[in-house]
Amino acid sequence: MASLSAAISHSSSHVALAHNTKPKKIHQSQCRTLPLPHRSPICRLGFVSQGGSKDASNTRVFTSVKDVLLDESAEKVQLPKGDTWSVHKFGGTCVGSAERIKSVGNIILNDDSERKLVVVSAMSKVTDMMYDLINRAQSRDESYISALDAVLEKHRSTALDLLDGDDLGSFLSELHHDVNNLKAMLRAIYIAGHATESFTDFVVGHGELWSAQMLSAVVRKNGINCKWMDTREVLIVNPTSADQVDPDYLESEKRLENWYSKNPSQIIIATGFIASTPQNIPTTLKRDGSDFSAAIMGALCRAGQVTIWTDVDGVYSADPRKVNEAVILRTLSYQEAWEMSYFGANVLHPRTIIPVMRYNIPIIIRNIFNLSAPGTKICHPLVSDKEENQTVESLVKGFATIDNLALVNVEGTGMAGVPGTAHAIFGAVKDVGANVIMISQASSEHSVCFAVPEKEVKAVAEALKSRFRQALDAGRLSQVAIIPNCSILAAVGQKMASTPGVSATLFSALAKANINVRAIAQGCSEFNITVVVKREDCIKALKAVHSRFYLSRTTIAVGIIGPGLIGSTLLEQLKDQAAVLKEEFNIDLRVMGITGSRTMLLSESGIDLSSWKELQKEKGEVADLQKFVQHVHGNHFIPNTVLVDCTADSAIASHYYDWLRRGIHVITPNKKANSGPLDQYLKLRALQRQSYTHYFYEATVGAGLPIISTLRGLLETGDKILQIEGIFSGTLSYIFNNFMGEVAFSEVVTKAKQAGFTEPDPRDDLSGADVRRKVIILARESGLKLELSDIPEKSLVPEPLRASASAEEFMQKLPQFDQEMSKKLQDAEDAGEVLRYVGVVDVVKQKGVVELRRYKKDHPFAQLSGSDNIIAFTTKRYQKQPLIVRGPGAGAQVTAGGIFSDILRLASYLGAPS
């Protein structure tokens, strides 16, 4: 230390001589913006600097920050406290260039709060550059001089872009003055070959000083009164042994009031990251401390809110770099944010929550590059979140991971019942300075398992083996085992505390993903469930729990709506398969209710499907949809409920949203919901994605054919859909497969009606409305936001017959229009082609089409027979040869089979073996 003191003394004389060459004038209003060396630790060692009022021309010596404070006098102005203050914090990225500093200035000016306190970090990368200066100097690398010049130039060029006139001249003068002082200090460090923590803090804190001065000048350019604050004059902290600091709120509050009494302003630009010790020695709040600065300042002035501006839209439910489906969380409680930040989520500095939590001050995380994004609000949880316009919130708010860990397992029968064993273990860990991330201990006390950073595990293991050498040799401890290459996965959510089964859900999801859990920890508060997994399994585990977190059971309460042709066929299939599903697949599907438009049948334990029609006649009651749903869903011993809508009723479909909100799964062949108004469809799908409930509708297109699942599979695996073209109507497929030669069109329609292929009124099929609905469903599944009205109607019903009073009248008059269809058929046959009624989703042109088209006889669409459907997917992968799905597309058996398949898929998702 003696060499460093000598070096400082030698360097200080040079600084003093340089300052005496030309007295520097500082206006009284600027007297608190003296450069950092005036209030540094070196000042206390006799470091000489210059400053004063406009009448002063002598060199002055300040021995501490307090000297500067006591030197000033001004009329006392009381600091107003309360929600009139709005605190903003802008990180280094936000003030990384002149253009961005201007943007920050605009945000400040556009905030209509009565008073604003803005905390700024150093410009992007500057703090790293300042640490680099220290490292170079103490390594006796003379390149620290050129590196300091780069710092000077970065700020000088930024100031030239931002400022002009007196503000520019004043800032550049201060900047050069600070840099000269830094050169002297770095020279002293270079000579000594060592830098103390205080000296390091002094050097690295300059970036915040410079960015605060520039931003305050930018605000003043708009004619707004704005002062900048060197927070080392206000924030007092006590360094701890854990490389952290504890704020002294009482002393800091006194100093803030004193500062404000002499610098009253409605806009204050304050330096983040830096503070002072009780001895008035400059220090820092350590890495990422600017968030902490903002929270402390918000608490000191009892602000209405603290806004942390960053480069992301808010807090994600999981790391979006690992989970593509991660969503922005609208709200977090203080405890949830605290837990997530501890476990490495990019939320806040872990200690930021503490100051604002004391005064219930909300924190808003917002994106400076996307001002339209509302961000994430961190506050006490709302009393109610059941309003219609709010999204469904998860029990688990988010998932976070910590990588590069190792597990240490201390094991032995000699540990059981021996007081002080845990104290000895963690005392040894403390002695090597290792950080324990997680602890897990069995109640038998046979072993203690804990996680530490992998880089520290070797020292920990050696310390433990040394501490317990005698116990290991005597066999009281069997081993100190190291399990490397581990990661921690934490599930965080305040609502977990009041919901049974959350842990079971988590572990079930991990088991389904074939993830082995190596250690578990959970506090009694249940805000956090922590598991340790293999590092290579971490992302897989994170995706599994994020995408599949819902209550997992294989007993499902089923409600059947619409026991018509399709519904009754489904009930028959369920009856036939019930025993097999229970015995071989552990799936118990209990039909708790069946309702038609007039009568419903309810059961407390499950309807006997072999006699449901008789039971409905004997015990049926007047249909009441609300009572029906409440009954099916109200069986608390069955945790999962699914309603199967086998109708084509839009009124039934309108209830899907409410059912899903209530945690009821929905399965349907009803096309009305997915082809109805776009806003209702989007609302339904958004709810489906945000909730734990499932909405399956494979049978809406192609009956039992895997059309929807094929499309989703292509999209989910990264393929790009170009076009979907198909024959989607079993009725129209049958008609045009048989419309050939001399057979009249009306005769084919009559034959189809007699065979049961058409609706009671064949116009429902010939109008193409069913095909249009299927096309709109596939278009929306492909990402197109189309309304049904966007697809032109191409009806095969002759115009004069569309208003016919009855189906019988229509069938009688249809032969009068056979000639027109016969001509189309003849024209096609003359060209070696066939007629087919198709639907097309053109994703490239973002449109849908239904129409009668002609195809060559060797085309796959020309090879159909009976009532088969055929769908061709042209994608980026299947561009030269489309992917074809072909098979029966109509009929009660195949449609009911498609619905049954969706029910089994739901059971699989809910935990049944697959």
Side-chain angles (χ1 to χ4, degrees):
M1 190 66 193
S3 60
L4 181 57
S5 299
I8 292 171
S9 177
H10 173 75
S11 300
S12 299
S13 63
H14 288 288
V15 176
L17 289 173
H19 294 171
N20 285 328
T21 58
K22 184 178 180 179
K24 184 174 180 181
K25 294 183 178 181
I26 301 178
H27 293 284
Q28 189 168 356
S29 63
Q30 297 173 315
C31 64
R32 298 187 60 80
T33 65
L34 294 170
L36 181 58
H38 301 168
R39 302 179 288 274
S40 71
I42 293 184
C43 301
R44 301 174 60 80
L45 298 173
F47 194 52
V48 183
S49 188
Q50 176 182 346
S53 69
K54 62 182 179 180
D55 298 321
S57 60
N58 61 309
T59 299
R60 306 176 62 192
V61 178
F62 296 113
T63 58
S64 71
V65 174
K66 207 164 186 178
D67 291 335
V68 178
L69 298 176
L70 296 175
D71 185 66
E72 298 170 347
S73 60
E75 182 182 349
K76 292 287 184 181
V77 177
Q78 188 172 2
L79 171 69
K81 296 179 182 178
D83 57 12
T84 58
W85 284 102
S86 176
V87 175
H88 296 264
K89 178 264 175 176
F90 294 94
T93 306
C94 300
V95 291
S97 65
E99 197 60 37
R100 290 182 181 176
I101 292 174
K102 289 178 184 176
S103 297
V104 168
N106 290 332
I107 290 173
I108 296 169
L109 294 170
N110 290 332
D111 179 1
D112 57 5
S113 301
E114 186 176 343
R115 297 178 178 88
K116 289 161 274 193
L117 194 154
V118 179
V119 176
V120 290
S121 299
M123 293 180 69
S124 180
K125 308 298 183 185
V126 166
T127 300
D128 289 336
M129 294 170 75
M130 302 305 281
Y131 275 113
D132 183 55
L133 292 176
I134 296 288
N135 294 333
R136 293 186 190 215
Q138 64 185 0
S139 301
R140 292 195 169 99
D141 181 351
E142 291 190 352
S143 65
Y144 77 84
I145 298 173
S146 60
L148 180 58
D149 289 340
V151 173
L152 168 65
E153 180 54 30
K154 181 180 181 73
H155 290 85
R156 190 188 73 84
S157 61
T158 302
L160 290 172
D161 288 341
L162 287 173
L163 311 177
D164 50 34
D166 291 342
D167 281 335
L168 176 61
S170 175
F171 175 76
L172 291 179
S173 177
E174 294 286 352
L175 177 64
H176 284 280
H177 184 71
D178 289 347
V179 169
N180 286 334
N181 287 339
L182 283 173
K183 281 182 179 178
M185 167 159 276
L186 291 168
R187 179 63 181 171
I189 294 171
Y190 175 90
I191 294 170
H194 173 70
T196 66
E197 183 179 357
S198 295
F199 291 176
T200 299
D201 289 345
F202 162 71
V203 172
V204 300
H206 277 72
E208 280 71 18
L209 293 169
W210 296 329
S211 62
Q213 291 177 65
M214 285 192 288
L215 180 57
S216 64
V218 167
V219 174
R220 284 196 302 272
K221 280 181 69 175
N222 290 273
I224 305 296
N225 180 29
C226 176
K227 302 286 179 63
W228 81 275
M229 175 196 292
D230 180 350
T231 48
R232 293 170 306 177
E233 300 174 9
V234 172
L235 293 188
I236 302 301
V237 297
N238 293 293
T240 69
S241 58
D243 194 33
Q244 293 183 343
V245 294
D246 292 331
D248 184 335
Y249 289 100
L250 290 177
E251 180 62 25
S252 297
E253 195 162 355
K254 290 178 184 177
R255 296 203 179 197
L256 176 60
E257 291 170 351
N258 184 50
W259 186 95
Y260 188 85
S261 72
K262 299 169 185 177
N263 299 274
S265 179
Q266 290 187 321
I267 300 179
I268 299 171
I269 311 296
T271 55
F273 182 55
I274 56 177
S276 290
T277 68
Q279 296 76 33
N280 300 307
I281 297 174
T283 186
T284 69
L285 302 183
K286 312 310 172 189
R287 278 288 192 175
D288 302 317
S290 291
D291 288 351
F292 197 16
S293 297
I296 296 170
M297 297 303 293
L300 292 179
C301 60
R302 314 295 192 268
Q305 72 177 36
V306 175
T307 303
I308 307 292
W309 293 89
T310 179
D311 56 359
V312 293
D313 285 346
V315 181
Y316 282 89
S317 54
D319 187 339
R321 294 169 296 184
K322 297 177 180 178
V323 180
N324 293 333
E325 299 79 17
V327 297
I328 297 293
L329 301 173
R330 290 177 55 190
T331 61
L332 280 174
S333 71
Y334 292 121
Q335 290 85 355
E336 288 167 340
W338 200 339
E339 294 279 1
M340 290 185 71
S341 63
Y342 174 78
F343 281 97
N346 186 22
V347 184
L348 293 169
H349 186 281
R351 303 191 69 196
T352 302
I353 311 295
I354 301 172
V356 296
M357 196 173 174
R358 295 173 62 184
Y359 300 104
N360 195 21
I361 300 170
I363 299 176
I364 315 294
I365 311 294
R366 293 197 60 191
N367 188 350
I368 193 171
F369 304 115
N370 183 13
L371 299 181
S372 62
T376 299
K377 184 176 184 179
I378 300 171
C379 58
H380 280 304
L382 299 175
V383 175
S384 173
D385 58 0
K386 296 181 180 179
E387 286 77 15
E388 174 71 14
N389 60 347
Q390 292 189 353
T391 60
V392 176
E393 293 194 2
S394 303
L395 295 170
V396 177
K397 276 293 184 70
F399 300 90
T401 58
I402 304 177
D403 296 322
N404 302 318
L405 300 177
L407 276 180
V408 181
N409 187 43
V410 183
E411 186 176 309
T413 55
M415 295 173 58
V418 179
T421 302
H423 178 270
I425 291 172
F426 295 110
V429 175
K430 177 179 179 293
D431 290 343
V432 297
N435 180 30
V436 177
I437 308 295
M438 186 207 81
I439 303 171
S440 179
Q441 180 178 9
S443 59
S444 66
E445 299 184 62
H446 178 70
S447 67
V448 175
C449 174
F450 57 93
V452 297
E454 203 158 38
K455 63 183 179 182
E456 299 173 356
V457 70
K458 184 178 180 182
V460 168
E462 291 174 353
L464 289 171
K465 289 174 182 177
S466 175
R467 177 70 64 90
F468 294 102
R469 173 56 56 199
Q470 185 177 352
L472 287 165
D473 292 342
R476 295 194 305 276
L477 288 186
S478 58
Q479 65 173 344
V480 175
I482 305 301
I483 305 174
N485 303 318
C486 294
S487 293
I488 276 180
L489 168 63
V492 175
Q494 189 155 339
K495 289 186 180 180
M496 297 194 304
S498 58
T499 305
V502 176
S503 297
T505 302
L506 179 73
F507 297 121
S508 176
L510 292 171
K512 288 288 289 181
N514 200 30
I515 304 295
N516 183 40
V517 176
R518 292 186 161 181
I520 305 164
Q522 179 179 3
C524 61
S525 68
E526 281 196 78
F527 285 166
N528 172 326
I529 302 174
T530 302
V531 297
V532 178
V533 298
K534 292 180 183 178
R535 184 190 302 161
E536 58 265 30
D537 288 340
C538 184
I539 293 179
K540 183 180 177 184
L542 180 62
K543 288 182 176 180
V545 296
H546 186 274
S547 63
R548 300 189 60 196
F549 198 83
Y550 48 81
L551 298 179
S552 300
R553 301 290 167 86
T554 55
T555 301
I556 305 174
V558 181
I560 304 293
I561 303 172
L565 180 60
I566 293 174
S568 59
T569 305
L570 173 63
L571 288 166
E572 188 71 14
Q573 292 178 356
L574 288 172
K575 181 200 73 169
D576 292 341
Q577 286 296 110
V580 175
L581 291 174
K582 282 184 182 179
E583 294 170 9
E584 297 185 15
F585 299 97
N586 194 30
I587 299 173
D588 184 3
L589 301 176
R590 301 191 188 184
V591 178
M592 310 300 289
I594 302 170
T595 183
S597 58
R598 296 188 180 90
T599 308
M600 67 181 182
L601 174 65
L602 306 178
S603 170
E604 292 294 334
S605 57
I607 296 171
D608 181 359
L609 298 184
S610 63
S611 58
W612 71 269
K613 290 182 180 179
E614 292 78 6
L615 289 170
Q616 189 176 40
K617 292 178 182 178
E618 295 173 11
K619 300 181 180 180
E621 55 190 272
V622 176
D624 182 334
L625 186 61
Q626 184 176 356
K627 181 180 178 181
F628 174 84
V629 173
Q630 181 59 40
H631 172 83
V632 175
H633 187 49
N635 288 278
H636 299 295
F637 66 95
I638 302 179
N640 300 295
T641 303
V642 60
L643 293 176
V644 182
D645 174 19
C646 297
T647 74
D649 191 344
S650 58
I652 300 294
S654 68
H655 292 283
Y656 292 178
Y657 184 87
D658 181 61
W659 294 343
L660 291 169
R661 276 184 62 88
R662 294 167 59 184
I664 302 171
H665 308 287
V666 176
I667 293 173
T668 185
N670 187 343
K671 293 178 274 292
K672 297 298 173 63
N674 285 12
S675 62
L678 179 62
D679 59 338
Q680 294 298 316
Y681 167 83
L682 294 175
K683 184 180 177 183
L684 190 63
R685 291 302 307 275
L687 176 64
Q688 178 196 3
R689 286 191 293 269
Q690 295 163 1
S691 67
Y692 297 127
T693 45
H694 296 271
Y695 171 45
F696 296 148
Y697 40 87
E698 182 70 72
T700 57
V701 181
L705 295 180
I707 308 285
I708 299 290
S709 57
T710 298
L711 175 56
R712 283 193 171 180
L714 292 170
L715 291 170
E716 290 170 358
T717 56
D719 204 354
K720 183 178 180 181
I721 306 298
L722 303 177
Q723 179 176 277
I724 304 170
E725 183 180 17
I727 297 173
F728 297 100
S729 167
T731 302
L732 295 177
S733 176
Y734 176 88
I735 289 173
F736 285 101
N737 287 339
N738 290 277
F739 181 38
M740 59 185 68
E742 301 298 321
V743 182
F745 184 74
S746 59
E747 291 179 27
V748 178
V749 174
T750 301
K751 188 176 179 182
K753 187 174 187 300
Q754 293 169 348
F757 285 113
T758 72
E759 294 292 335
D761 188 341
R763 285 176 294 183
D764 292 342
D765 298 297
L766 295 174
S767 68
D770 183 68
V771 179
R772 288 174 70 217
R773 289 191 180 276
K774 293 176 179 178
V775 168
I776 202 72
I777 290 171
L778 292 176
R780 289 173 176 178
E781 286 289 315
S782 302
L784 301 185
K785 294 183 178 180
L786 298 179
E787 293 281 3
L788 189 61
S789 58
D790 293 329
I791 300 179
E793 182 178 347
K794 294 293 180 68
S795 176
L796 297 177
V797 179
E799 182 71 33
L801 300 186
R802 294 178 188 177
S804 296
S806 65
E808 290 73 22
E809 182 184 349
F810 165 75
M811 293 302 298
Q812 289 173 2
K813 295 182 178 179
L814 183 59
Q816 301 173 16
F817 301 87
D818 279 342
Q819 187 175 356
E820 181 181 348
M821 290 300 298
S822 295
K823 184 177 186 308
K824 290 182 179 180
L825 176 63
Q826 188 62 50
D827 291 343
E829 288 181 344
D830 290 344
E833 297 173 333
V834 297
L835 294 176
R836 295 292 183 261
Y837 193 88
V838 299
V840 181
V841 177
D842 191 330
V843 179
V844 177
K845 295 181 179 178
Q846 298 193 349
K847 68 176 185 177
V849 175
V850 295
E851 60 185 4
L852 189 64
R853 285 186 175 182
R854 288 159 46 168
Y855 293 89
K856 294 293 184 183
K857 291 186 177 181
D858 60 351
H859 192 279
F861 286 16
Q863 310 301 315
L864 291 186
S865 60
S867 61
D868 279 4
N869 282 184
I870 185 168
I871 294 88
F873 294 90
T874 303
T875 72
K876 190 174 181 181
R877 292 178 191 154
Y878 297 94
Q879 196 161 1
K880 294 182 179 179
Q881 187 173 354
L883 174 64
I884 301 290
V885 177
R886 173 180 171 176
Q893 286 291 336
V894 293
T895 302
I899 300 168
F900 198 0
S901 177
D902 272 349
I903 295 173
L904 296 181
R905 182 155 65 107
L906 173 65
S908 177
Y909 282 178
L910 297 177
S914 58

